Amino acid sequence: MLMGDDKLASFVLPAAAVARDDLVGWQEWCRTRLAFVPAPSLDRAAWRRLSPRERMIHDLHRTATHANLPLLQTPMSRLVEKVLISRIETNALKFKPTTRAGVMVTGGGYQGKTECVCEIAAAFEERWLALHNYLNPTARPGFRDLHAPVAYVQTPVTAKPKSTCKAILNFYDAPLNPRMDLPDLIHQVAVSLRDHGTKVLILDDITRLRMHRVDDQDTLDLIRAFMSMNVTLVLIGVDIPRSGLLREGRYDLTSGQWHLPSKRLKVNGLEPTQTERRFDLVELDRFHYDNDVQIASWIRHLQGIEDSLRLLDARPGMLTEDSTMPEYLFHRTDGVVGLLERLIEDGCREAMESGRECLTEDLLDDITIELTDTPQRDPEAGEIPDVPAPQRPPRAGRPRNTVFDDRGPAESLG
């Protein structure tokens, strides 16, 4: 059933994008992140039976559907979820005033690290709020602070200890006095985390820190010290092992964690070196295409995307059953989910505008993946990946993918 005029504005004229780096925006995003309803699937014959206005509305709804493809789980994201949710829930249930181990989530640009972590954290927040009847279990008498189990903060591009503290305080819309010195700001951060019942502090784009700069070294020491504030610290960054953030750390084979000392800053009068800061390091990798298991994972991901598309002449297996399409899409995107989403989104728009209403290699050959409209990303931190050239993969040298071939009953009985 097509959506009526009363619901038209909800997808044709969306509100401004929700900013997750403040409390109101984060909670709004958590509440609405799954609210989008995709367009119904129609073939060309059913579309032709619509009135001109109904066709226009349906086409707008299809465009919105392709622009809001769902976040699909991958084998890599399931690994991140397993590590992250285990650490968050274990730390949240601790009563001892000990330093909570943190998590570093690494990977290349456009691989969905932020969306993956935010989705995991939002699901934890929903469970935590429901568990406590949406009340802050640590609230103090006389205070009415909002309960914020999760705080999401972007690392400032030119991070310094003061600017990092201010970014965290801005999430809570906490009052800032321009004359506050660093110890006052650190104390205010500790108060805000405690009074809002925050269990998870996410610091995104952490690899914007440059370890050759003294300010950035001090900022990293400050961030490590936040782990003494009874929160799970989650750091997200591009290629963390090569960024220099771990250069003073040592890897513990027994625990599988990185142990990082803090040297420079004092926090609330305590020397951070009294306790080493421990991190689980987990990678959200891209897809690979080197063996049958990896190829099968890639094809299952393409099937999930295919199910979300609303092209009139789309056929089952449009992205997966052709002998060369899966490899073509991998070659165009290098297995990076963000580049794949951009290619599919732009390809669907071209298919609709041209009337072809189906994705083919010939159509996608004319699509150039442009990443120039992302001013919020820092190219120097590796947040914008290299885009493979739009050329066909070689036809020789690799056998046809036979992962899903039916080899018959005789071979099956083996």
Side-chain angles (χ1 to χ4, degrees), residues 132-176:
H132 294 92
N133 295 317
Y134 299 88
L135 299 175
N136 185 353
T138 61
R140 295 186 296 167
F143 290 81
R144 297 183 61 189
D145 290 307
L146 292 173
H147 191 190
V150 176
Y152 171 81
V153 179
Q154 284 192 313
T155 305
V157 175
T158 54
K160 296 181 179 180
K162 281 189 174 182
S163 65
T164 302
C165 286
K166 290 177 180 178
I168 296 172
L169 294 173
N170 285 337
F171 176 85
Y172 299 105
D173 196 24
L176 291 174

Side-chain angles (χ1 to χ4, degrees), residues 54-344:
E54 288 173 332
R55 292 179 190 173
M56 181 271 293
I57 293 175
H58 182 62
D59 287 347
L60 285 172
H61 198 177
R62 289 197 293 145
T63 301
T65 299
H66 299 148
N68 294 278
L69 295 175
L71 182 66
L72 300 177
Q73 275 202 329
T74 67
M76 298 78 73
S77 69
R78 282 190 286 271
L79 174 61
V80 173
E81 181 180 20
K82 179 180 179 180
V83 173
L84 186 54
I85 200 62
S86 173
R87 183 60 58 206
I88 288 174
E89 291 184 346
T90 299
N91 287 347
L93 296 173
K94 284 182 182 291
F95 288 95
K96 297 181 293 184
T98 55
T99 299
R100 273 56 168 163
V103 180
M104 291 184 176
V105 180
T106 185
Y110 272 78
Q111 286 176 196
K113 299 179 299 298
T114 296
E115 295 307 316
C116 178
V117 169
C118 285
E119 176 59 36
I120 294 167
F124 162 77
E125 179 170 299
E126 290 171 344
R127 294 193 299 272
W128 190 257
L129 290 172
L131 180 65
H132 294 92
N133 295 317
Y134 299 88
L135 299 175
N136 185 353
T138 61
R140 295 186 296 167
F143 290 81
R144 297 183 61 189
D145 290 307
L146 292 173
H147 191 190
V150 176
Y152 171 81
V153 179
Q154 284 192 313
T155 305
V157 175
T158 54
K160 296 181 179 180
K162 281 189 174 182
S163 65
T164 302
C165 286
K166 290 177 180 178
I168 296 172
L169 294 173
N170 285 337
F171 176 85
Y172 299 105
D173 196 24
L176 291 174
N177 187 326
R179 293 191 295 272
M180 293 176 73
D181 57 15
L182 182 57
D184 291 334
L185 288 169
I186 294 173
H187 174 73
Q188 188 63 42
V189 168
V191 169
S192 293
L193 291 171
R194 181 194 64 207
D195 289 352
H196 289 84
T198 300
K199 297 298 180 181
V200 183
L201 174 59
I202 301 170
L203 291 178
D204 202 355
D205 301 321
I206 192 65
T207 43
R208 290 177 176 177
L209 298 179
R210 306 290 192 270
M211 291 300 97
H212 65 277
R213 297 192 298 231
V214 174
D215 282 336
D216 292 35
Q217 294 173 29
D218 288 342
T219 302
L220 182 59
D221 286 332
L222 171 68
I223 290 170
R224 294 172 188 168
F226 288 154
M227 299 168 74
S228 299
M229 299 179 184
N230 298 334
V231 297
T232 299
L233 185 61
V234 181
L235 307 181
I236 307 173
V238 174
D239 200 359
I240 288 178
R242 295 180 59 185
S243 68
L245 297 181
L246 301 174
R247 69 181 183 185
E248 296 177 350
R250 62 179 179 84
Y251 183 70
D252 187 334
L253 291 174
T254 303
S255 65
Q257 295 176 326
W258 282 87
H259 290 232
L260 299 164
S262 293
K263 296 181 178 180
R264 298 171 177 272
L265 292 171
K266 291 185 178 181
V267 180
N268 293 333
L270 297 177
E271 197 64 57
T273 50
Q274 291 176 350
T275 305
E276 281 190 318
R277 275 50 180 159
R278 295 175 294 129
F279 286 92
D280 296 306
L281 178 66
V282 59
E283 181 178 8
L284 184 64
D285 199 5
R286 63 183 180 87
F287 281 94
H288 294 272
Y289 206 85
D290 299 323
N291 56 54
D292 285 352
V293 174
Q294 294 172 349
I295 293 172
S297 294
W298 175 248
I299 290 177
R300 280 193 293 270
H301 188 70
L302 295 180
Q303 287 173 333
I305 292 177
E306 185 180 296
D307 292 341
S308 302
L309 303 184
R310 296 296 185 263
L311 297 176
L312 300 179
D313 293 338
R315 53 181 174 77
M318 177 176 62
L319 303 182
T320 59
E321 291 184 0
D322 183 273
S323 61
T324 59
M325 179 63 97
E327 187 173 356
Y328 171 83
L329 292 172
F330 183 86
H331 181 81
R332 287 294 310 271
T333 63
D334 202 24
V336 177
V337 294
L339 297 184
L340 176 66
E341 181 177 303
R342 179 65 67 92
L343 178 64
I344 295 297

